[in-house]
Every structure is written in structure tokens, then in C-alpha cells.
Amino acid sequence: QVRLVESGGGLVQAGGSLSLSCAASGRIFSPNAMGWYRQAPGNQRELVASITSDGSITYTDSVKGRFTISRDNAKNTVYLQMNSLKPEDTGVYYCKTEWGVQPRYIFWGQGTQVTVSS
């Protein structure tokens, strides 16, 4: 089984910064993608940023220029540096890893709360 353990998050004022990390353990296959999603109350879970094993990166438009995703393949760890945080960035942030086509294997972390006060 694959386990994802997130750390970081917390409460910060608007304009501040936070860092998240997510370490994956277990039987992990490469190539794979790792990413961060967030879910605000009453909203669907949405992609924040993702990064593949070979470094291909995707950001949702609202975080471009403010958030940076990176990964350490040797440690199976993905990071999210969040700068210039806004109240609308508030939500539970989930780590995800996935690989394969058919079948496709998808694993989620337990989530970590990020709260940005105005």
C-alpha cells in the first residue's frame, strides 16, 4: 500500500507564506505525478499544482507566480511553497500521487488545513 503524509500548513495573514511537504512511502512506481489539491468549504476539490517525475509542472491560474511546486524523486517527496497568500487560498490541501494508464493508481494524503486571514 502507498501512504502519503503531509506536513506544514497552518494559519497565516494575507500576504504571508507557508510551505507544505508530502512524503510518499510504500510501493511507488515511476514515472508518476505528484500534486497538490485544495478544497474550500462548499467547493469541489481543485488542482493547485502538479509535477511529474521528469519535472513537467502545471499550475492552476490563480496561483501562478505565487506558488512553487517541487519534488525530490529520491525521497518521493513533493513540496509546495506558497507566497503572497490570499484569503481565497484557504482550504484543506491534499497531496496526491498517481501512475499507470489502465489501471490507473491514485493515492491521497489525509489533508492539511491552510487558513489565510484578511
Side-chain angles (χ1 to χ4, degrees), residues 41-112:
N43 291 356
Q44 291 188 332
R45 193 174 298 187
E46 63 172 356
L47 171 70
V48 176
S50 66
I51 182 169
T52 63
S53 300
D54 62 1
S56 178
I57 292 174
T58 300
Y59 293 105
T60 192
D61 287 345
S62 63
V63 308
K64 288 179 180 177
R66 301 187 298 121
F67 291 11
T68 302
I69 190 170
S70 60
R71 64 184 288 167
D72 183 332
N73 289 335
K75 297 181 179 178
N76 290 317
T77 299
V78 63
Y79 307 94
L80 185 68
Q81 177 64 41
M82 305 183 291
N83 298 328
S84 302
L85 282 160
K86 304 176 181 180
E88 51 263 44
D89 294 317
T90 295
V92 179
Y93 282 66
Y94 297 90
C95 176
K96 173 186 176 184
T97 188
E98 58 187 312
W99 62 82
V101 178
Q102 286 186 353
R104 189 155 186 85
Y105 296 91
I106 300 173
F107 300 93
W108 292 92
Q110 79 284 358
T112 185

Side-chain angles (χ1 to χ4, degrees), residues 1-3 24-29 76 99:
Q1 187 60 287
V2 174
R3 185 181 181 210
S25 61
R27 196 174 183 187
I28 300 165
F29 287 82
N76 290 317
W99 62 82

